[in-house]
Amino acid sequence: MVREGLLKILKHRRLVKLFLNLSLKGHNICYQLAGMLSAELEKDGLHPKHRLMKYHDWFMSKLQKDWAVLDIGCGNGALAYDMKSVCRSVVGIDIDPGNIRRAEKQHARPGITYICADALTYPFELKFQAVVLSNVLEHIQFRVEFLKQIFAGQDCESPPVLLLRVPMMTRDWITLYKKEQGIEWRLDHSHFTEYTLEQVFDEVSKAGLVVAEYDIRFGEFYGVVTKD
């Protein structure tokens, strides 16, 4: 009886639209809730994506032992901590004081310096061989200008390598469908964008940079970007 009643309801397009919108919004809520709750069950308190996606390994594989690395938007410092095991030094910078406090408490290590500041205005004294943007660029409104600014204060003759990781809006069908239906489709409300492959290449090119190599993993773009 319940099944037959549900089938009758679903024959009405307005009700279908209502249930669809509720389902899509509920999907967003469940995604965020699952992320928060799952982190509470991890031994280190980190989101399980760190462990399952193994994205730290990708960044570490691109570094050299004598490099100084700048980790922009370092967050809790987990990535900076691992990168220091394969390079000379890491400077992690984040605009959020809470992130820096957590990084200094949980992910301190000789050779790592954490700074609470805006990366675009901070007067870095060091020159870096690599700059890391791991799920950071999508939070920036004026991204081309931001990319240009990263390289502005660095060595023009030997510019750093940019290691870039951003979320793809083409990661699955439901993301595109949410956007089509006018439902919030971003992974985070603070994202100004989430990418198509064409958009990544377009913004990189407008900044005077080149994607030297890239890969798509877990619906995210991983790229090695160099000065054009």
Side-chain angles (χ1 to χ4, degrees), residues 19-53:
F19 282 123
L20 173 62
N21 286 351
L22 290 174
S23 297
L24 294 175
K25 291 177 180 178
H27 184 271
N28 290 338
I29 294 171
C30 289
Y31 179 87
Q32 296 296 331
L33 187 59
M36 289 188 293
L37 295 177
S38 58
E40 292 298 320
L41 296 179
E42 294 291 307
K43 292 181 179 179
D44 54 10
L46 295 176
H47 193 295
K49 65 184 179 183
H50 291 263
R51 174 172 55 83
L52 297 172
M53 295 170 63

Side-chain angles (χ1 to χ4, degrees), residues 2 5 13-15 33 62 75 97 99 123-124 130 141 148 151 155 167 176 186 200 203 205 207-208 215-216:
V2 174
R13 291 186 62 83
R14 289 185 180 179
L15 289 175
L33 187 59
K62 304 302 179 184
N99 283 341
F124 292 105
Q141 183 174 8
K148 289 178 180 178
F151 286 84
D155 188 344
L176 298 175
R186 298 166 297 175
V200 174
E203 290 186 3
S205 176
D215 193 7
I216 306 294

